[in-house]
Structures are given as structure tokens and as C-alpha cells.
Amino acid sequence: MDGHESADRFGIDTSVAHSARVHNYWLGGKDNFAADRATGDAVIAAYPGIVKSVRANRAFLARAARFLAAEAGIRQFLDIGTGIPAADNTHEVVLAAAPDARVVYVDYDPVVLLHARTLLTSDVSGAIDYIDADLRDPPAIVRQAARTLDFSRPVAIMLISILHLILDRDDPYDLVSQLVNAVVPGSYVVISHAASDIDTGAMISMANRLNELMAQQAVPRTHREVAAFFAGLDLLEPGLVRIPEWRPASVSDSAARAQMWGAVARKR
Ligand SMILES: C[S@@+](CC[C@H](N)C(=O)[O-])C[C@H]1O[C@@H](n2cnc3c(N)ncnc32)[C@H](O)[C@@H]1O
């Protein structure tokens, strides 16, 4: 991204790395600043598998969204932790499978907001909305999402690569259950989450590097800790697995390196 001055005008602090922009750098995007690239490179040095992991995460997002729209009949999506646009954004995958679907994005990063403004001005159908909000305030998210989504009908809540940015002191389990309580039975929850119990040593050094350099802190969690986000929900096959193993397109895809747990679950 060019122009620190114009970034300042939009309230973007370019001096400290932010997760959306570091993620964008790993995905080969251009919406990042020197601090984001330096953090991205430091993490790659500590843990070279990170680039494959974030790509596997985008592929998981696309497979899960496509399944929900094309096979599970879901027409409403609440994608929290949108990130900077990359390949296969949720609305692209969903609208290709179900043109009558609606997608609400939520993020708190000002760079994501800038992209969202462009996206929304190009959308004349009203099928897409964007909320500038914090996952730590579920009532605000639900209230604003109700502009576009009908909460008396099923909604897919997408929490893709965001919950490891919510510290225990902010009670991520309670945040997820507040969101689940806001949707009707037949709704779905999709989560991908950095794992602390796959490649443990490398993941710890990666998280330490990220936490030294990034504005947000990251907390990878164990399989058991991630499974607890799905308490009271029915996990779909194959359950909570390494993300490349969730309904892979091919056997070789399932062997991809990725240090994240992921699953899709349905509310009874
Ligand atoms: C690692 S990126 C993931 C982007 C996308 N979901 C993906 O998987 O490719 C995490 C995103 O979550 C956003 N985020 C982190 N904490 C958040 C919070 N408390 N509220 C809203 N958004 C948050 C960041 O700004 C960033 O865009």
C-alpha cells in the first residue's frame, strides 16, 4: 500500500503491524505497510509453514462456504473477521452457489473498512453489508446485521482465523455462545483456529514472534480448547480436524501443511 499520509487520514496506524495486513502480506497481497511486512517476514523466519497454513485456511473457508450454500441450503452468512479481500471471498463463493444469498461482513480494521466501502458501492443488490465492529461486542454485531439478515431464519456464523486473536480475558467462549444464542436452530457455526498442539515448538516460537511485533496478541489453542467452542452444537463429519482434512477436494490436498483446527457445526 502506498502513502503513509493518506493512511493517516483514514486513522490507520502504519507503524505497528496489524493482523489483517500481515495476513494480506502472507497471501501475496499489496495492502500492507513496512511494519506488517517486517512482522510477516520475522514470523516466516520462525515458522516457514505459515504461508501454506494461511493458504490452506482460505481454501477451508471456500469449501465450508460452498458446502453451506450449495448443499446445506443456507442463504444468510455472518462472516466475522473478514480480512482484506483475497481469492475466494465469502460473498463470491456463496453468491456463485446461491445468487439469492446475503452476506454480512464484520471487521474492526480501518484498512478492511476501506475495501468494504469499495465493495459496497459496487453492490447494488443489497445482498452484501459490512459492519465496522468488534467481535468482543456481539449484541452490536447482531443488531447491525439485522439490517440485512433475518434472524428468524438460519444463519451461518463464520469465525475464520479470528478466535485466536481473542484473549482468554475477553472470554471468547462466551462471545461465541452469545452469537449462537442469537441464531435459530438449523443455523451453522464455522471456525478455523491456530493450533497449539500441532508442531508445538514451532507454533510457540511463531506466536511469540507475532506477539512481540503485532498490535493484537495471538493465542493458539489445543484441539480440546477449540472443540469447546462447539459445545452444544452438532459437529458435521469429519469433526474438528486439521483444516486441509475437512472435506478435501483430493487426497493430496488433505496432506497440505496447516497448523490450524477447523470444523463446521449445526445448531440443533
Ligand atoms: C487473520 S485475519 C483472517 C481473515 C479471513 N477471515 C481469513 O481467514 O482469511 C483476522 C481478521 O480478524 C480481524 N479481527 C481481529 N480481531 C477482531 C475483533 N476483535 N473484532 C473484529 N475483527 C477482528 C482482523 O482485523 C483481521 O481482518
Side-chain angles (χ1 to χ4, degrees):
M1 186 178 263
D2 54 7
H4 288 254
E5 276 174 28
S6 55
D8 284 349
R9 271 199 293 126
F10 292 105
I12 298 166
D13 180 358
T14 57
S15 67
V16 187
H18 272 250
S19 66
R21 281 134 42 183
V22 175
H23 203 247
N24 169 263
Y25 176 58
W26 286 330
L27 285 170
K30 300 270 177 276
D31 298 286
N32 45 72
F33 298 95
D36 307 309
R37 294 188 283 275
T39 297
D41 286 338
V43 172
I44 291 172
Y47 181 60
I50 187 66
V51 172
K52 286 204 170 131
S53 219
V54 293
R55 296 210 166 130
N57 178 60
R58 293 294 301 184
F60 168 76
L61 183 168
R63 291 198 305 283
R66 197 171 296 119
F67 161 77
L68 290 170
E71 294 180 45
I74 292 293
R75 292 292 176 267
Q76 307 196 92
F77 291 78
L78 180 57
D79 181 333
I80 308 177
T82 312
I84 293 164
D88 284 342
N89 300 299
T90 302
H91 71 283
E92 292 162 345
V93 174
V94 162
L95 295 176
D100 56 335
R102 293 181 162 247
V103 179
V104 172
Y105 285 118
V106 181
D107 207 292
Y108 70 172
D109 188 294
V111 174
V112 178
L113 174 63
L114 282 181
H115 282 282
R117 287 203 181 119
T118 312
L119 169 70
L120 294 179
T121 27
S122 65
D123 168 52
V124 287
S125 65
I128 309 170
D129 195 7
Y130 179 82
I131 301 172
D132 181 18
D134 195 314
L135 171 55
R136 291 166 295 183
D137 189 359
I141 292 176
V142 172
R143 194 174 55 247
Q144 295 178 75
R147 290 193 301 243
T148 307
L149 306 182
D150 173 358
F151 278 88
S152 69
R153 302 176 64 81
V155 174
I157 302 167
M158 314 275 291
L159 292 160
I160 308 294
S161 191
I162 181 170
L163 284 168
H164 48 248
L165 298 167
I166 304 291
L167 305 181
D168 290 342
R169 67 161 188 250
D170 291 317
D171 200 346
Y173 297 100
D174 180 59
L175 300 176
V176 172
S177 70
Q178 287 186 57
L179 291 166
V180 171
N181 287 340
V183 296
V184 295
S187 294
Y188 286 82
V189 175
V190 186
I191 292 175
S192 68
H193 194 298
S196 61
D197 50 356
I198 306 174
D199 268 3
T200 304
M203 282 303 282
I204 290 171
S205 50
M206 179 188 87
N208 288 344
R209 280 310 272 150
L210 262 182
N211 291 341
E212 280 160 22
L213 296 165
M214 206 170 66
Q216 301 95 334
Q217 302 287 290
V219 238
R221 294 188 171 94
T222 63
H223 186 274
R224 183 193 290 253
E225 288 166 338
V226 179
F229 285 115
F230 296 99
L233 301 172
D234 294 329
L235 279 178
L236 270 54
E237 287 296 325
L240 179 65
V241 292
R242 275 188 344 105
I243 47 174
E245 291 162 10
W246 196 88
R247 306 191 180 197
S250 69
V251 176
S252 64
D253 285 354
S254 68
R257 254 188 113 177
Q259 284 59 36
M260 297 187 81
W261 298 120
V264 178
R266 187 171 189 273
K267 180 170 174 171
R268 272 172 232 153

